[in-house]
Amino acid sequence: MNTAIVNQAEGTNGAMVDRTRLPRHVAIIMDGNGRWARARGLPRVMGHRAGIKSVRVVAELARELGVGVLTLYAFSVENWKRHPQEVATLMRLLDEYLRRELPTLMKNEIRLNVLGDMTALPERVQEHLKEVMAGTGGNGKMVLNLALNYSGRCEILQAVRRISAQMQAGNLKEAELDEAAFSRFLYTDGQPDPDLLIRTSGEQRISNFLLWQISYTELYLTPTLWPDFGKPDFLAALLEYQRRERRFGA
Ligand code: IPE
Ligand code: IPE
Ligand code: MG
């Protein structure tokens, strides 16, 4: 069998994504739903609805190619500042997604995981999240992290608090606290750091996402709005990633 062909996936302009050099972890700041809707004279929530299709396409392609971890920023701690109606709709869409997606996650052997403080989410959503996490817990082909009620600073703070408690209880010594030990107190415990971070919609900021984990992540910023982000866009991001020279300071 010709492995050169088996290991490549067609990208844009006939270029090929090398399946042997994929990012192990891709994180995405899914942005631009509101602007996508406004451009069409639609309410913002229609943009969020349209964005779910992009979630499906990207998750499926990541899984098909063999990306190990896909992290999607779905709702930040700061997003509670939005109009209550928009927040309520986002929660309802999340709930709908969870109920509909379980069979696909099972079929594709994807494990769902949450990054963030779930306890502030509506109870119904928490229940469905727990159900889907338990149901998909044994799946081993890909981890899908949904960042919900997420803040990078809050994540680091909760780690520091737990570390401090462990030290006071005598379970952890100061000398044992290196970067690897610290990482185990983050929501991403056990996962590789993102190799690639994509942000859609042209904004050029991190918005409190994965502050610790992205220290050496490659950034890919695209003007494409999230609901327009499809298979060609994801492949283009992966191709660009494969053209980068990663030096890690060396
Ligand atoms: C991203 O789209 C979705 C969430 C933050 C939940 P936005 O809703 O931020 O869309 P814009 O940035 O206003 O266009
Ligand atoms: C970041 O997008 C959060 C999510 C994608 C969930 P925002 O639209 O909330 O971020 P800012 O306000 O542009 O920084
Ligand atoms: Mg936005």
Side-chain angles (χ1 to χ4, degrees):
M1 207 171 11
N2 187 337
T3 50
I5 289 171
V6 171
N7 287 331
Q8 290 182 334
E10 205 172 335
T12 46
N13 337 313
M16 293 284 185
V17 170
D18 180 351
R19 289 186 196 228
T20 65
R21 288 173 49 244
L22 284 170
R24 290 194 299 163
H25 182 171
V26 178
I28 308 182
I29 303 176
M30 311 183 287
D31 200 12
N33 295 351
R35 277 162 284 170
W36 183 92
R38 193 175 60 205
R40 285 161 182 76
L42 298 168
R44 291 178 59 82
V45 295
M46 294 303 283
H48 298 315
R49 201 169 266 288
I52 294 177
K53 198 184 96 235
S54 303
V55 170
R56 288 209 180 91
V57 169
V58 167
E60 212 157 296
L61 183 54
R63 157 66 176 88
E64 196 185 303
L65 290 172
V67 171
V69 184
L70 176 68
T71 299
L72 302 177
Y73 203 3
F75 194 85
S76 72
V77 159
E78 290 80 14
N79 287 147
W80 294 109
K81 291 185 242 173
R82 294 189 179 195
H83 193 286
Q85 231 172 313
E86 182 177 348
V87 172
T89 306
L90 281 167
M91 293 302 153
R92 206 183 57 240
L93 287 175
L94 170 63
D95 206 39
E96 268 180 45
Y97 172 81
L98 291 170
R99 274 186 287 128
R100 288 227 192 102
E101 225 49 21
L102 185 56
T104 313
L105 296 174
M106 293 312 292
K107 190 186 84 193
N108 290 328
E109 295 174 67
I110 298 171
R111 177 161 71 84
L112 185 89
N113 183 47
V114 172
L115 311 184
D117 175 14
M118 271 176 42
T119 62
L121 300 172
E123 268 183 39
R124 194 188 63 249
V125 174
Q126 288 186 50
E127 274 165 31
H128 284 144
L129 280 170
K130 282 179 200 152
E131 267 173 44
V132 178
M133 284 193 291
T136 62
N139 293 347
K141 293 288 187 203
M142 185 175 89
V143 176
L144 174 62
N145 286 325
L146 282 187
L148 292 170
N149 191 28
Y150 178 86
S151 146
R153 285 190 170 187
C154 291
E155 178 181 33
I156 292 169
L157 265 181
Q158 65 80 35
V160 171
R161 289 198 186 107
R162 281 166 53 217
I163 287 165
S164 162
Q166 290 294 317
M167 283 184 175
Q168 274 170 39
N171 300 327
L172 185 66
K173 294 191 188 71
E174 204 177 304
E176 291 167 350
L177 186 64
D178 55 10
E179 291 187 8
F182 188 87
S183 296
R184 286 196 284 276
F185 288 86
L186 298 173
Y187 299 128
T188 46
D189 176 25
Q191 302 178 359
D193 287 339
D195 296 300
L196 174 64
L197 170 63
I198 299 171
R199 181 165 191 155
T200 59
S201 91
E203 303 300 348
Q204 306 196 9
R205 54 178 169 261
I206 295 300
S207 300
N208 208 358
F209 195 39
L210 301 174
L211 298 177
W212 170 278
Q213 296 91 334
I214 59 167
S215 65
Y216 252 108
T217 299
E218 294 295 325
L219 307 179
Y220 181 84
L221 308 169
T222 169
T224 303
L225 303 174
W226 179 248
D228 291 326
F229 191 90
K231 206 168 162 167
D233 304 277
F234 193 40
L235 287 169
L238 293 172
L239 279 170
E240 166 65 23
Y241 167 80
Q242 294 188 336
R243 281 194 291 269
R244 302 269 177 95
E245 187 195 347
R246 302 187 77 187
R247 295 189 188 165
F248 300 98

